[in-house]
Amino acid sequence: GQNIDQPTEMTATEGAIVQINCTYQTSGFNGLFWYQQHAGEAPTFLSYNVLDGLEEKGRFSSFLSRSKGYSYLLLKELQMKDSASYLCAADQTGANNLFFGTGTRLTVIP
Amino acid sequence: SAVISQKPSRDICQRGTSLTIQCQVDSQVTMMFWYRQQPGQSLTLIATANQGSEATYESGFVIDKFPISRPNLTFSTLTVSNMSPEDSSIYLCSVEVQDTANTGELFFGEGSRLTVL
């Protein structure tokens, strides 16, 4: 079967660092996406990992371990505007679509 | 990238009626998808809209309930038929765009929030 687990909610302080974990089980795996979704808005692309390791993009970094079925999204120097849901999504072999996790709702507090 | 326009952005509907959601993309795309996002949940794929042929539906979704049209490479519609309160949800149109690394990135419309009374 297929399954993606990520924490439902997290809270962090402005200026701090937060790591959002995601574990996945899929029948065939091409890569892993992270999307950000602010309340009432469309999801927007953050990152894509296909190889093991860390991909850094400004304040956001994403890590993948294919052998462990594990990824994380690291947000540095948190800002209030980073309060959003963060969706982990697996790109499955032979499928046209992404399989999404339920998302992690991050709240950044002053 | 792709810019996606969806309408209506929101609507309140009566039980038993049907509503058609339109999705317009600013460029020709091969892959178009319709997702549902129920309150507090993540995105669930309803179907892949295929140009010139019938849509491909995911398990749990059927054509009679969610008929889809895809007359060309820039436009699609999703109809939610015979609505019930359980259909209250956000419906999102999405397209896949291949970048130079041949990575398929999804772009989403802003969604259509339906409330069924």
Side-chain angles (χ1 to χ4, degrees), chain B residues 11-72:
Chain B
D11 207 340
I12 299 174
C13 308
Q14 296 297 319
R15 182 195 297 260
T17 63
S18 299
L19 182 79
T20 296
I21 303 167
Q22 298 181 5
C23 176
Q24 179 74 53
V25 190
D26 68 341
S27 59
Q28 293 188 337
V29 292
T30 304
M31 307 299 290
M32 287 184 78
F33 308 97
W34 286 98
Y35 283 86
R36 182 173 72 181
Q37 188 173 30
Q38 293 181 304
Q41 298 186 26
S42 190
L43 287 79
T44 302
L45 182 68
I46 298 171
T48 302
N50 303 308
Q51 194 267 329
S53 64
E54 214 169 77
T56 305
Y57 289 84
E58 298 300 306
S59 175
F61 298 96
V62 295
I63 188 171
D64 289 346
K65 177 66 176 176
F66 297 101
I68 287 171
S69 78
R70 178 87 192 272
N72 56 54

Side-chain angles (χ1 to χ4, degrees), chain A residues 16-33:
Chain A
I17 299 173
V18 70
Q19 177 174 313
I20 303 174
N21 296 324
C22 170
T23 58
Y24 62 88
Q25 292 174 303
T26 60
S27 52
F29 178 78
N30 287 337
L32 196 110
F33 286 85

Side-chain angles (χ1 to χ4, degrees), chain A residues 11-59:
Chain A
T11 301
T13 305
E14 190 176 14
I17 299 173
V18 70
Q19 177 174 313
I20 303 174
N21 296 324
C22 170
T23 58
Y24 62 88
Q25 292 174 303
T26 60
S27 52
F29 178 78
N30 287 337
L32 196 110
F33 286 85
W34 283 95
Y35 281 82
Q36 179 191 58
Q37 186 177 25
H38 285 99
E41 298 182 14
T44 55
F45 170 80
L46 288 178
S47 68
Y48 177 62
N49 293 68
V50 62
L51 301 176
D52 285 358
L54 188 68
E55 296 273 347
E56 297 188 70
K57 190 185 294 185
R59 292 190 299 115

Side-chain angles (χ1 to χ4, degrees), chain A residues 33 35 37 39-45 48 87-88 91 96-103 105, chain B residues 31 33 35 37 40-43 45 48 58 92 96 103-111 113:
Chain A
F33 286 85
Y35 281 82
Q37 186 177 25
E41 298 182 14
T44 55
F45 170 80
Y48 177 62
L87 305 167
C88 172
D91 184 5
N96 290 330
N97 60 291
L98 299 182
F99 180 66
F100 283 86
T102 54
R105 186 190 305 271
Chain B
M31 307 299 290
F33 308 97
Y35 283 86
Q37 188 173 30
Q41 298 186 26
S42 190
L43 287 79
L45 182 68
T48 302
E58 298 300 306
L92 294 131
E96 182 180 279
T103 299
E105 178 182 333
L106 286 184
F107 291 85
F108 290 87
E110 294 193 346
R113 184 184 297 270

Side-chain angles (χ1 to χ4, degrees), chain A residues 46-103:
Chain A
L46 288 178
S47 68
Y48 177 62
N49 293 68
V50 62
L51 301 176
D52 285 358
L54 188 68
E55 296 273 347
E56 297 188 70
K57 190 185 294 185
R59 292 190 299 115
F60 292 6
S61 302
S62 57
F63 172 84
L64 177 67
S65 169
R66 296 176 70 116
S67 61
K68 295 181 180 178
Y70 168 70
S71 173
Y72 67 73
L73 181 69
L74 192 72
L75 293 77
K76 303 177 186 175
E77 302 170 15
L78 279 173
Q79 302 175 8
M80 300 299 290
K81 67 178 182 180
D82 296 330
S83 292
S85 286
Y86 292 86
L87 305 167
C88 172
D91 184 5
Q92 304 172 93
T93 306
N96 290 330
N97 60 291
L98 299 182
F99 180 66
F100 283 86
T102 54

